Amino acid sequence: MSEVPEILLTDPEVLRDPFTAYGPVRERSPIAKLSAPGFSMWAVLRHEEARRMLSDPRFALSANSYQRMDIPDHCRPYMRTMQEVEGPEHLRLRRLVAPEFTPRKAAALREGIERLVDTLLDELAGEDRIDLVTAFARPLPVDVICALVGIPEADRPRWREYGALVSAGDGAGLAKAVPGIVEGALAAIAERKLEPAEDVLSQLLRIQAEDGDRLSETELVALVWQLVLGGQVPGNLLANAVEILLSHPGQLAELREDPTLMPGAVEEVMRWQSPQLLTLPRFATTDVRIGDVLIPEGEPVTVAIAAANRDPRAFGDPDVFDIRRAAGPAWHLAFAHGPHFCLGASLARVQVEVALTGLLRRFPDLALADGLLRIPDPGTWRLNALPVTLHATVAN
């Protein structure tokens, strides 16, 4: 076995441009060791091996896949979600909500998402310069997922605040918000028990009433908050997409000229700069070999999405951003793969397509402004501020 290369997650170059930094290591080895002070885990860097690992039941998610939060004891039972369980239990919970997140369901929501986008853009119409993150990219997915799940309108402003904590990666703020998040989920359930509607929560309550063994009250609370807060992913994707397109004026011009390229452009944004750089770590349930490397039982393994999505074995000219990239046998791993493939992938795609289409149509002179802020984070590629000008400056 050749020596396994090591990548320091605190390396300034890894933090500045992980997509480039991972490349030379990926070409040396399909797997590497990621290290930070007091911490290390294995990382799969190549596309084929990554897909296999994410589908392999010998690598399992668990509560240990998440950082422990300091929260009140009464909240802890509600923190166990379908994201950290495997096998039949995971399948049971996922099957309860999966029918509401199919591509067909997402397509049916397009018109409603268009209305939400238009409302947010109307609020920006009189502005010359905005932070696109706080004014558009973060509020939109919260509004969409709250409507889909069944969060009462009066409670949605506070869910916007919770969503902003998730999107910004504010772990300490999120921990403080957990009691409010649990309380909000309980309140939404109580309201829908009194006034059922056509939404995910009402459907889950009908299932629970028919067969309580399929979904406990604690599991229901966990599902509600997980669906709502997990629905923040499109915010980071949308902000990244705007920054990438405005930084590639030739590609942006092609997209403006031919809006039918939008679905492919969104896929290419996800491949080229996925908001998620690393998957949640899975733990080997037995000794497992990946390539020439033996992963001992109990050790954490992640997929470096930033590396796998730029693997030249899977994608031609992988470091080139190309909205006309033809779909091939390989597909990006921005939404992971296997049993834990992102439940809201179809909804995220539709949201970002609609949001970008509306934004580019409404503001043809949209341009980057000074002050872009990306807080270094080895696990997530997110913008905390994206200042833009909405109108062309008229010279005196």
Side-chain angles (χ1 to χ4, degrees):
M1 181 187 78
S2 57
E3 184 178 351
V4 177
E6 183 177 11
I7 298 172
L8 297 177
L9 292 176
T10 54
D11 184 332
E13 287 305 304
V14 172
L15 293 170
R16 185 187 65 82
D17 182 1
F19 309 96
T20 299
Y22 281 119
V25 185
R26 179 193 57 232
E27 298 313 299
R28 286 172 52 199
S29 170
I31 195 164
K33 257 302 179 72
L34 302 185
S35 300
F39 169 81
S40 70
M41 63 180 169
W42 303 94
V44 186
L45 307 180
R46 294 180 186 170
H47 191 274
E48 182 180 349
E49 287 85 349
R51 281 174 57 93
R52 284 204 300 264
M53 191 280 278
L54 293 171
S55 300
D56 191 332
R58 295 175 297 177
F59 295 100
L61 290 167
S62 72
N64 293 327
S65 298
Y66 298 83
Q67 290 186 334
R68 298 288 187 180
M69 291 193 293
D70 185 13
I71 59 174
D73 289 341
H74 77 275
C75 295
R76 294 192 183 281
Y78 303 114
M79 296 299 102
R80 188 172 186 270
T81 70
M82 67 175 172
Q83 187 68 10
E84 66 178 54
V85 298
E86 297 285 5
E89 186 178 11
H90 173 259
L91 188 60
R92 171 178 59 84
L93 293 171
R94 189 173 178 108
R95 280 177 172 171
L96 293 174
V97 291
E100 302 302 318
F101 291 88
T102 63
R104 183 175 62 82
K105 287 280 189 175
L109 294 170
R110 183 178 289 267
E111 187 174 329
I113 296 171
E114 288 173 347
R115 288 194 294 271
L116 291 172
V117 166
D118 286 341
T119 298
L120 286 170
L121 294 179
D122 286 344
E123 295 173 2
L124 306 181
E127 304 291 335
D128 289 321
R129 174 184 166 123
I130 61 163
D131 175 7
L132 199 76
V133 170
T134 56
F136 186 55
R138 283 182 184 164
L140 176 63
V142 182
D143 292 352
V144 171
I145 197 67
C146 281
L148 177 62
V149 171
I151 300 297
E153 285 195 35
D155 292 343
R156 292 177 192 177
R158 68 167 170 169
W159 284 98
R160 272 194 180 191
E161 295 175 9
Y162 302 148
L165 294 172
V166 174
S167 297
D170 184 355
L174 186 62
K176 290 180 182 178
V178 164
I181 290 168
V182 171
E183 178 187 313
L186 287 166
I189 292 167
E191 178 155 330
R192 279 295 172 258
K193 283 181 177 179
L194 293 174
E195 298 182 16
E198 293 301 317
D199 51 44
V200 174
L201 179 48
S202 298
Q203 176 62 18
L204 290 172
L205 285 168
R206 285 191 285 270
I207 291 171
Q208 189 184 54
E210 292 167 4
D211 183 0
D213 289 339
R214 293 177 66 190
L215 182 64
S216 72
E217 194 74 9
T218 300
E219 289 172 334
L220 178 59
V221 174
L223 269 177
V224 169
W225 76 255
Q226 184 194 8
L227 290 174
V228 175
L229 296 188
Q232 310 315 305
V233 171
N236 288 328
L237 175 58
L238 175 56
N240 284 353
V242 172
E243 192 263 334
I244 292 167
L245 287 168
L246 292 179
S247 301
H248 291 79
Q251 298 278 294
L252 177 58
E254 288 189 46
L255 184 58
R256 287 188 183 279
E257 184 177 339
D258 183 3
T260 64
L261 295 173
M262 184 61 75
V266 172
E267 297 301 328
E268 180 66 349
V269 166
M270 289 189 285
R271 183 201 69 83
W272 200 68
Q273 284 192 351
S274 167
Q276 202 67 29
L277 299 174
L278 304 171
T279 63
L280 287 170
R282 286 145 170 85
F283 291 83
T285 59
T286 185
D287 291 353
V288 187
R289 190 171 294 279
I290 298 179
D292 294 333
V293 179
L294 182 68
I295 309 297
E297 178 181 351
E299 296 210 356
V301 187
T302 184
V303 164
I305 299 173
N309 279 353
R310 299 279 189 102
D311 187 350
R313 298 158 192 79
F315 307 99
D317 296 323
D319 293 320
V320 174
F321 177 70
D322 180 7
I323 64 172
R324 294 181 180 271
R325 183 178 296 276
W331 200 241
H332 65 73
L333 300 177
F335 292 123
H337 183 66
H340 287 275
F341 178 80
C342 178
L343 183 68
S346 296
L347 183 61
R349 288 180 166 110
V350 171
Q351 281 186 72
V352 177
E353 288 174 23
V354 170
L356 282 176
T357 299
L359 182 69
L360 296 179
R361 182 180 63 242
R362 187 76 68 95
F363 302 110
D365 297 316
L366 184 72
L368 293 173
D370 293 335
L372 182 148
L373 176 62
R374 193 184 297 279
I375 296 177
D377 180 346
T380 308
W381 191 247
R382 64 161 71 89
L383 285 161
N384 283 60
L386 180 59
V388 297
T389 54
L390 302 178
H391 308 286
T393 301
V394 179
N396 292 326

